Amino acid sequence: MGRTPCCDRAAVKRGPWSPEEDEALRSYVQRHGSGGNWIAMPKKAGLKRCGKSCRLRWLNYLRPDIRHGGFTAEEDAVILSLYTQLGSKWSLIASQMEGRTDNDVKNHWNTKLKKRLLAAAGTFSPAPHARVPAPAPAFRTGHVSPLSLVPSVGIPTVKNRAYTYDDFLGAGARDPFAAADGSTSGAFRGCRPPMVHGGQRAQ
DNA sequence: TGGACAACCGTTATCTCG
DNA sequence: CGAGATAACGGTTGTCCA
């Protein structure tokens, strides 16, 4: 609705990624990181893709620490528990689960867990008010660190602990991939790492 | 204050499998 | 061919800097 597109649709390739494109993106990010600028990166990497598309592809698919599918019952429990506490804060939920992306968690919820929950609610509790746990009011203001809420939830955790900002600074210093991907930044919405310059954030 | 950017999340498109 | 799973897109929001 009257919004300028993030990139020139005519000039960029869209749709599914080819293995060649994956390889180009992977090798570029592994060698250089995103260069601090996803918008400029595809050009440097020789990709005819929107920077946003590259970023998403890397974060959701190409990162070496990503796991796909095969959600365990424990992970299901974590998602369910966090969803009842946080609502659809997929990035927050994903940040509590090793190797999972917000997109993965969201897809898993929408395709499996939601239905399962509805079915279970229908079986065990016909009362309308008891069907789906009402999500907690969304907080997007960033005035409160969302992670600070998680330890009080009393959930089974997949990770040993919740990461802290310092953990990621440290990980970034050790691991070029962690430095490049920004994968867990969602956990720090409202208390993000400072930008270095021109809107770029230190990872 | 507005532009640029990353991050986020809902929705849609595409693929896969029965 | 339809349903389910997954990948990608579109639009919004929040933060930073000039």
Side-chain angles (χ1 to χ4, degrees):
Chain A
M1 291 196 285
R3 179 189 168 84
T4 55
C6 71
C7 46
D8 182 358
R9 289 193 188 189
V12 300
K13 184 169 182 272
R14 302 174 65 206
W17 282 64
S18 69
E20 292 76 22
E21 288 177 308
D22 280 347
E23 189 48 44
L25 177 59
R26 182 187 288 114
S27 65
Y28 184 89
V29 174
Q30 287 181 351
R31 270 186 280 127
H32 305 102
S34 67
N37 187 342
W38 284 104
I39 303 298
M41 194 269 268
K43 206 168 189 176
K44 295 178 185 174
L47 288 163
K48 289 183 170 56
R49 288 279 183 174
C50 175
K52 181 177 174 177
S53 178
C54 292
R55 178 185 155 273
L56 221 52
R57 184 65 176 172
W58 172 257
L59 293 181
N60 289 337
Y61 191 82
L62 294 177
R63 270 194 301 155
D65 58 330
I66 288 292
R67 287 185 294 148
H68 291 283
F71 278 79
T72 65
E74 189 183 26
E75 287 175 309
D76 287 354
V78 172
I79 294 170
L80 183 59
S81 179
L82 285 173
Y83 182 84
T84 62
Q85 296 291 325
L86 304 172
S88 56
K89 299 294 174 187
W90 304 118
S91 64
L92 262 181
I93 295 170
S95 74
Q96 294 300 301
M97 306 176 69
E98 194 129 32
R100 300 297 187 189
T101 69
D102 60 337
N103 209 33
D104 251 354
V105 172
K106 178 176 63 181
N107 284 339
H108 185 58
W109 171 264
N110 285 330
T111 58
K112 296 231 183 81
L113 297 184
K114 189 164 71 176
K115 292 172 188 172
R116 202 183 300 169
L117 186 66
L118 285 171
T123 300
F124 297 119
S125 177
H129 67 271
R131 285 182 177 259
V132 179
F139 44 80
R140 203 184 171 91
T141 62
H143 293 141
V144 175
S145 173
L147 266 189
S148 67
L149 301 175
V150 173
S152 66
V153 170
I155 54 167
T157 52
V158 174
K159 280 184 178 177
N160 292 333
R161 61 195 172 92
Y163 285 151
T164 66
Y165 178 24
D166 285 344
D167 287 329
F168 283 90
L169 285 180
R174 287 190 303 271
D175 178 359
F177 302 138
D181 65 27
S183 62
T184 48
S185 60
F188 306 105
R189 199 157 184 82
C191 51
R192 287 174 170 173
M195 287 187 176
V196 176
H197 69 277
Q200 304 314 309
R201 294 172 181 83
Q203 298 285 335

